[in-house]
Every structure is written in structure tokens, then in C-alpha cells.
Amino acid sequence: MYNIMEIILPYATDSRVIFAVGSVFGYSLCKFMTMAKRRRNYRKKSSEESDTESSETDSNDAVYTDEYDNYKLVLLIRTDLKMGKGKVAAQCSHAAVAAYKSATKYPKILRAWVESGQPKITLKVDSENELLTLAAKAKSTGLLSNVIRDAGHTQIPAGSVTVCAVGPGPAKFVDKVTGRLKLF
């Protein structure tokens, strides 16, 4: 026992080792707590649904699978408009807020997205036509879709389609619509 302590002690006091062990422990604890929370919510929801139908107002026209899926929001940004970084940030913010507002009508989707960490991914599209085609494809798949048009106060003409928010929704369905696009 004493020999083991002599071997471990010099490494245990090294700050890099302590940091690495703490990081692994923290990450593992976070994952464990998230899984436990999802299981607890699933059991609670299952028992409530067996007594009565869910009181949430989710409609059948929006995609919802289950709480074990990864959910994400994808923002499709037109590159042909040559918007500045600030303009892109503002338009993406408008799209993210619109997507959140739409998701509030579907509490299960919103909750699953929040529990997934609310991931947001920005992707490039080359034209308005491509953006609108993908928005229509998202809607036909059952995903939430919000197209943002600029007010025209700064860089681009009023009414220009700038960004489309696809989701939040299950990553596997969002990827079927946007999976071939490149990161912005």
C-alpha cells in the first residue's frame, strides 16, 4: 500500500493531472445528471399520460420524436447578399428569436431542444431560391421554419430574404434537409 502511494502522490499533485481528472469527472457527472433527469421526466410523463391525455398543445403537424434525440436549430444564411458580419449577426438573431417564438407553440420540442443544450448551427446558401426551397422542404418534413426578411434600413434592400431558421427539431430530420450545406 505504501509503495502505491509513493508512485501516485507525485502525479496527484501535478496541476495538469488534477485539471484533467476534474474535467473528466465534471463532464461525466453532467452527463449522468442529464440522463437521470431525462429518465425521471420520462417516468413522470409516462405515468401522467396513462391517467389522462397530455395537456400540452403540441400539434400533429410538427415533428416530435422523443426526449432522447438530439435537437438543434440551423440558420441558413444567404452568401450572395454579401452582408457584413454585424448584419449577419443581427439577421441570425432575428431568426433565432422567431424560431424560439414558433417553438413555444410546441412545448415538447422546445423542452427537448433546451435539454439538448440549444445548439445553433449556421450554414451557407447561395441564393434566395435555394433558401426558400430548403424552407419549404423543412416545412414539408414537419420541421419548424422561419424566413427572415430585412427591413432595409442599412445594407440591403427592404424585403430581401436574408436568413431561414430550420428547427428547432430532431437533428436527424434537420440534417435530412440541411446536411449537404457548408458551415458559414
Side-chain angles (χ1 to χ4, degrees):
M1 179 79 171
Y2 182 70
N3 292 336
I4 294 173
M5 292 304 290
E6 285 178 357
I7 295 170
I8 294 175
L9 193 58
Y11 296 108
T13 57
D14 183 11
S15 61
R16 291 176 290 185
V17 172
I18 293 171
F19 176 78
V21 169
S23 296
V24 169
F25 179 75
Y27 177 79
S28 300
L29 183 62
C30 177
K31 286 296 188 183
F32 175 75
M33 290 175 65
T34 301
M35 288 176 17
K37 180 180 176 184
R38 286 182 177 177
R39 284 189 186 128
R40 187 171 49 251
N41 288 343
Y42 181 73
R43 283 191 216 118
K44 181 179 171 186
K45 187 170 53 172
S46 295
S47 66
E48 288 174 0
E49 287 177 356
S50 64
D51 296 337
T52 60
E53 191 61 34
S54 176
S55 64
E56 294 176 342
T57 60
D58 280 353
S59 172
N60 290 335
D61 61 347
V63 171
Y64 175 77
T65 53
D66 65 34
E67 64 272 5
Y68 297 107
D69 282 337
N70 288 319
Y71 281 67
K72 68 180 176 180
L73 171 66
V74 170
L75 304 171
L76 307 176
I77 304 165
R78 282 184 59 191
T79 56
D80 62 316
L81 292 175
K82 307 287 188 225
M83 295 181 283
K85 292 176 186 176
K87 186 66 168 178
V88 169
Q91 296 301 304
C92 286
S93 297
H94 293 316
V97 169
Y100 181 84
K101 284 175 141 180
S102 294
T104 59
K105 297 173 188 167
Y106 306 95
K108 290 179 182 178
I109 291 173
L110 184 59
R111 186 177 331 119
W113 180 54
V114 168
E115 289 177 0
S116 294
Q118 303 170 23
K120 293 163 278 301
I121 294 95
T122 55
L123 302 174
K124 299 177 187 180
V125 292
D126 295 327
S127 67
E128 179 178 353
N129 186 40
E130 183 181 9
L131 187 141
L132 294 174
T133 301
L134 290 168
K137 185 176 178 183
K139 281 213 185 274
S140 70
T141 305
L143 293 167
L144 301 174
S145 175
N146 292 279
V147 174
I148 303 302
R149 294 182 184 274
D150 189 59
H153 299 301
T154 56
Q155 299 177 5
I156 55 179
S160 298
V161 174
T162 56
V163 176
C164 175
V166 176
K172 61 185 171 188
F173 292 113
V174 174
D175 289 343
K176 286 181 182 177
V177 176
T178 64
R180 64 172 181 74
L181 300 173
K182 294 184 179 182
L183 291 172
F184 182 81

mmCIF file of all heavy atoms in Angstrom, residues 89-114:
data_model
loop_
_atom_site.group_PDB
_atom_site.id
_atom_site.type_symbol
_atom_site.label_atom_id
_atom_site.label_comp_id
_atom_site.label_asym_id
_atom_site.label_seq_id
_atom_site.Cartn_x
_atom_site.Cartn_y
_atom_site.Cartn_z
ATOM 1 N N ALA A 89 -25.040 38.850 -38.053
ATOM 2 C CA ALA A 89 -25.353 38.577 -36.642
ATOM 3 C C ALA A 89 -26.765 39.047 -36.302
ATOM 4 O O ALA A 89 -27.517 38.337 -35.630
ATOM 5 C CB ALA A 89 -24.326 39.254 -35.736
ATOM 6 N N ALA A 90 -27.134 40.231 -36.767
ATOM 7 C CA ALA A 90 -28.473 40.755 -36.487
ATOM 8 C C ALA A 90 -29.555 39.892 -37.131
ATOM 9 O O ALA A 90 -30.571 39.573 -36.498
ATOM 10 C CB ALA A 90 -28.581 42.201 -36.982
ATOM 11 N N GLN A 91 -29.340 39.494 -38.376
ATOM 12 C CA GLN A 91 -30.337 38.681 -39.079
ATOM 13 C C GLN A 91 -30.472 37.296 -38.438
ATOM 14 O O GLN A 91 -31.573 36.762 -38.312
ATOM 15 C CB GLN A 91 -29.979 38.568 -40.561
ATOM 16 C CG GLN A 91 -30.007 39.885 -41.310
ATOM 17 C CD GLN A 91 -31.363 40.565 -41.253
ATOM 18 O OE1 GLN A 91 -32.381 40.003 -41.618
ATOM 19 N NE2 GLN A 91 -31.383 41.802 -40.772
ATOM 20 N N CYS A 92 -29.345 36.727 -38.020
ATOM 21 C CA CYS A 92 -29.386 35.431 -37.330
ATOM 22 C C CYS A 92 -30.101 35.561 -35.984
ATOM 23 O O CYS A 92 -30.832 34.658 -35.578
ATOM 24 C CB CYS A 92 -27.979 34.871 -37.137
ATOM 25 S SG CYS A 92 -27.250 34.237 -38.656
ATOM 26 N N SER A 93 -29.911 36.687 -35.323
ATOM 27 C CA SER A 93 -30.620 36.919 -34.058
ATOM 28 C C SER A 93 -32.116 36.990 -34.288
ATOM 29 O O SER A 93 -32.900 36.420 -33.523
ATOM 30 C CB SER A 93 -30.123 38.211 -33.401
ATOM 31 O OG SER A 93 -28.765 38.116 -33.073
ATOM 32 N N HIS A 94 -32.525 37.701 -35.332
ATOM 33 C CA HIS A 94 -33.956 37.752 -35.667
ATOM 34 C C HIS A 94 -34.499 36.347 -35.927
ATOM 35 O O HIS A 94 -35.590 35.989 -35.469
ATOM 36 C CB HIS A 94 -34.191 38.615 -36.907
ATOM 37 C CG HIS A 94 -33.910 40.066 -36.728
ATOM 38 N ND1 HIS A 94 -34.315 40.794 -35.629
ATOM 39 C CD2 HIS A 94 -33.265 40.955 -37.531
ATOM 40 C CE1 HIS A 94 -33.932 42.053 -35.754
ATOM 41 N NE2 HIS A 94 -33.281 42.172 -36.902
ATOM 42 N N ALA A 95 -33.732 35.550 -36.656
ATOM 43 C CA ALA A 95 -34.165 34.191 -36.992
ATOM 44 C C ALA A 95 -34.247 33.312 -35.745
ATOM 45 O O ALA A 95 -35.196 32.529 -35.589
ATOM 46 C CB ALA A 95 -33.220 33.575 -38.021
ATOM 47 N N ALA A 96 -33.266 33.431 -34.851
ATOM 48 C CA ALA A 96 -33.273 32.618 -33.634
ATOM 49 C C ALA A 96 -34.460 32.980 -32.743
ATOM 50 O O ALA A 96 -35.108 32.094 -32.180
ATOM 51 C CB ALA A 96 -31.955 32.796 -32.876
ATOM 52 N N VAL A 97 -34.757 34.265 -32.631
ATOM 53 C CA VAL A 97 -35.906 34.689 -31.825
ATOM 54 C C VAL A 97 -37.206 34.197 -32.464
ATOM 55 O O VAL A 97 -38.102 33.698 -31.768
ATOM 56 C CB VAL A 97 -35.917 36.225 -31.641
ATOM 57 C CG1 VAL A 97 -37.229 36.701 -31.039
ATOM 58 C CG2 VAL A 97 -34.742 36.659 -30.773
ATOM 59 N N ALA A 98 -37.324 34.315 -33.779
ATOM 60 C CA ALA A 98 -38.521 33.824 -34.471
ATOM 61 C C ALA A 98 -38.684 32.316 -34.284
ATOM 62 O O ALA A 98 -39.796 31.825 -34.066
ATOM 63 C CB ALA A 98 -38.443 34.171 -35.960
ATOM 64 N N ALA A 99 -37.580 31.580 -34.349
ATOM 65 C CA ALA A 99 -37.635 30.127 -34.161
ATOM 66 C C ALA A 99 -38.075 29.793 -32.741
ATOM 67 O O ALA A 99 -38.885 28.883 -32.528
ATOM 68 C CB ALA A 99 -36.269 29.503 -34.448
ATOM 69 N N TYR A 100 -37.548 30.517 -31.770
ATOM 70 C CA TYR A 100 -37.943 30.288 -30.368
ATOM 71 C C TYR A 100 -39.433 30.575 -30.183
ATOM 72 O O TYR A 100 -40.146 29.794 -29.552
ATOM 73 C CB TYR A 100 -37.109 31.157 -29.430
ATOM 74 C CG TYR A 100 -37.466 30.939 -27.983
ATOM 75 C CD1 TYR A 100 -36.909 29.888 -27.269
ATOM 76 C CD2 TYR A 100 -38.388 31.756 -27.339
ATOM 77 C CE1 TYR A 100 -37.243 29.663 -25.952
ATOM 78 C CE2 TYR A 100 -38.742 31.534 -26.017
ATOM 79 C CZ TYR A 100 -38.157 30.491 -25.331
ATOM 80 O OH TYR A 100 -38.504 30.262 -24.029
ATOM 81 N N LYS A 101 -39.904 31.672 -30.752
ATOM 82 C CA LYS A 101 -41.329 32.008 -30.634
ATOM 83 C C LYS A 101 -42.203 30.912 -31.257
ATOM 84 O O LYS A 101 -43.229 30.539 -30.705
ATOM 85 C CB LYS A 101 -41.625 33.348 -31.313
ATOM 86 C CG LYS A 101 -41.187 34.547 -30.526
ATOM 87 C CD LYS A 101 -41.422 35.792 -31.352
ATOM 88 C CE LYS A 101 -41.924 36.934 -30.540
ATOM 89 N NZ LYS A 101 -42.157 38.140 -31.361
ATOM 90 N N SER A 102 -41.779 30.409 -32.408
ATOM 91 C CA SER A 102 -42.531 29.321 -33.044
ATOM 92 C C SER A 102 -42.513 28.066 -32.193
ATOM 93 O O SER A 102 -43.518 27.359 -32.086
ATOM 94 C CB SER A 102 -41.941 28.987 -34.418
ATOM 95 O OG SER A 102 -42.111 30.042 -35.304
ATOM 96 N N ALA A 103 -41.380 27.787 -31.577
ATOM 97 C CA ALA A 103 -41.234 26.568 -30.771
ATOM 98 C C ALA A 103 -42.055 26.629 -29.488
ATOM 99 O O ALA A 103 -42.395 25.581 -28.936
ATOM 100 C CB ALA A 103 -39.763 26.322 -30.453
ATOM 101 N N THR A 104 -42.395 27.822 -29.019
ATOM 102 C CA THR A 104 -43.206 27.910 -27.795
ATOM 103 C C THR A 104 -44.595 27.309 -28.001
ATOM 104 O O THR A 104 -45.248 26.939 -27.031
ATOM 105 C CB THR A 104 -43.341 29.365 -27.296
ATOM 106 O OG1 THR A 104 -43.952 30.161 -28.313
ATOM 107 C CG2 THR A 104 -42.000 29.936 -26.887
ATOM 108 N N LYS A 105 -45.025 27.178 -29.238
ATOM 109 C CA LYS A 105 -46.319 26.547 -29.538
ATOM 110 C C LYS A 105 -46.238 25.023 -29.423
ATOM 111 O O LYS A 105 -47.260 24.351 -29.435
ATOM 112 C CB LYS A 105 -46.774 26.930 -30.945
ATOM 113 C CG LYS A 105 -47.010 28.413 -31.111
ATOM 114 C CD LYS A 105 -47.291 28.761 -32.550
ATOM 115 C CE LYS A 105 -47.341 30.259 -32.723
ATOM 116 N NZ LYS A 105 -47.305 30.654 -34.123
ATOM 117 N N TYR A 106 -45.012 24.494 -29.341
ATOM 118 C CA TYR A 106 -44.770 23.056 -29.253
ATOM 119 C C TYR A 106 -43.862 22.785 -28.058
ATOM 120 O O TYR A 106 -42.647 22.607 -28.217
ATOM 121 C CB TYR A 106 -44.137 22.539 -30.549
ATOM 122 C CG TYR A 106 -44.941 22.896 -31.774
ATOM 123 C CD1 TYR A 106 -44.636 24.041 -32.513
ATOM 124 C CD2 TYR A 106 -46.031 22.131 -32.140
ATOM 125 C CE1 TYR A 106 -45.391 24.386 -33.614
ATOM 126 C CE2 TYR A 106 -46.796 22.470 -33.244
ATOM 127 C CZ TYR A 106 -46.471 23.601 -33.978
ATOM 128 O OH TYR A 106 -47.219 23.951 -35.060
ATOM 129 N N PRO A 107 -44.415 22.765 -26.850
ATOM 130 C CA PRO A 107 -43.592 22.664 -25.630
ATOM 131 C C PRO A 107 -42.665 21.452 -25.586
ATOM 132 O O PRO A 107 -41.568 21.549 -25.040
ATOM 133 C CB PRO A 107 -44.628 22.596 -24.507
ATOM 134 C CG PRO A 107 -45.882 23.140 -25.084
ATOM 135 C CD PRO A 107 -45.833 22.880 -26.550
ATOM 136 N N LYS A 108 -43.086 20.328 -26.144
ATOM 137 C CA LYS A 108 -42.213 19.141 -26.117
ATOM 138 C C LYS A 108 -40.959 19.366 -26.949
ATOM 139 O O LYS A 108 -39.865 18.986 -26.548
ATOM 140 C CB LYS A 108 -42.966 17.913 -26.635
ATOM 141 C CG LYS A 108 -44.054 17.425 -25.711
ATOM 142 C CD LYS A 108 -44.755 16.224 -26.307
ATOM 143 C CE LYS A 108 -45.874 15.733 -25.423
ATOM 144 N NZ LYS A 108 -46.583 14.600 -26.033
ATOM 145 N N ILE A 109 -41.118 19.979 -28.108
ATOM 146 C CA ILE A 109 -39.979 20.271 -28.968
ATOM 147 C C ILE A 109 -39.061 21.277 -28.291
ATOM 148 O O ILE A 109 -37.843 21.096 -28.247
ATOM 149 C CB ILE A 109 -40.446 20.793 -30.346
ATOM 150 C CG1 ILE A 109 -41.134 19.664 -31.119
ATOM 151 C CG2 ILE A 109 -39.285 21.377 -31.135
ATOM 152 C CD1 ILE A 109 -41.780 20.094 -32.408
ATOM 153 N N LEU A 110 -39.649 22.329 -27.740
ATOM 154 C CA LEU A 110 -38.857 23.356 -27.076
ATOM 155 C C LEU A 110 -38.080 22.777 -25.894
ATOM 156 O O LEU A 110 -36.879 23.038 -25.741
ATOM 157 C CB LEU A 110 -39.763 24.502 -26.612
ATOM 158 C CG LEU A 110 -39.060 25.688 -25.975
ATOM 159 C CD1 LEU A 110 -38.051 26.308 -26.926
ATOM 160 C CD2 LEU A 110 -40.073 26.728 -25.533
ATOM 161 N N ARG A 111 -38.744 21.952 -25.094
ATOM 162 C CA ARG A 111 -38.087 21.349 -23.932
ATOM 163 C C ARG A 111 -36.942 20.435 -24.368
ATOM 164 O O ARG A 111 -35.849 20.457 -23.789
ATOM 165 C CB ARG A 111 -39.081 20.573 -23.088
ATOM 166 C CG ARG A 111 -38.480 20.054 -21.796
ATOM 167 C CD ARG A 111 -39.485 19.344 -20.906
ATOM 168 N NE ARG A 111 -40.821 19.838 -21.066
ATOM 169 C CZ ARG A 111 -41.872 19.099 -21.477
ATOM 170 N NH1 ARG A 111 -41.738 17.834 -21.711
ATOM 171 N NH2 ARG A 111 -43.061 19.616 -21.623
ATOM 172 N N ALA A 112 -37.177 19.628 -25.404
ATOM 173 C CA ALA A 112 -36.131 18.717 -25.883
ATOM 174 C C ALA A 112 -34.932 19.501 -26.413
ATOM 175 O O ALA A 112 -33.786 19.114 -26.187
ATOM 176 C CB ALA A 112 -36.688 17.793 -26.965
ATOM 177 N N TRP A 113 -35.178 20.623 -27.097
ATOM 178 C CA TRP A 113 -34.101 21.455 -27.618
ATOM 179 C C TRP A 113 -33.310 22.086 -26.472
ATOM 180 O O TRP A 113 -32.085 22.096 -26.490
ATOM 181 C CB TRP A 113 -34.667 22.519 -28.542
ATOM 182 C CG TRP A 113 -33.668 23.446 -29.153
ATOM 183 C CD1 TRP A 113 -32.555 23.097 -29.864
ATOM 184 C CD2 TRP A 113 -33.686 24.863 -29.122
ATOM 185 N NE1 TRP A 113 -31.890 24.226 -30.275
ATOM 186 C CE2 TRP A 113 -32.569 25.324 -29.839
ATOM 187 C CE3 TRP A 113 -34.554 25.799 -28.573
ATOM 188 C CZ2 TRP A 113 -32.293 26.674 -30.004
ATOM 189 C CZ3 TRP A 113 -34.276 27.139 -28.753
ATOM 190 C CH2 TRP A 113 -33.161 27.566 -29.453
ATOM 191 N N VAL A 114 -34.025 22.572 -25.469
ATOM 192 C CA VAL A 114 -33.361 23.169 -24.308
ATOM 193 C C VAL A 114 -32.513 22.117 -23.593
ATOM 194 O O VAL A 114 -31.365 22.373 -23.227
ATOM 195 C CB VAL A 114 -34.392 23.807 -23.351
ATOM 196 C CG1 VAL A 114 -33.768 24.164 -22.016
ATOM 197 C CG2 VAL A 114 -35.016 25.039 -23.995
#
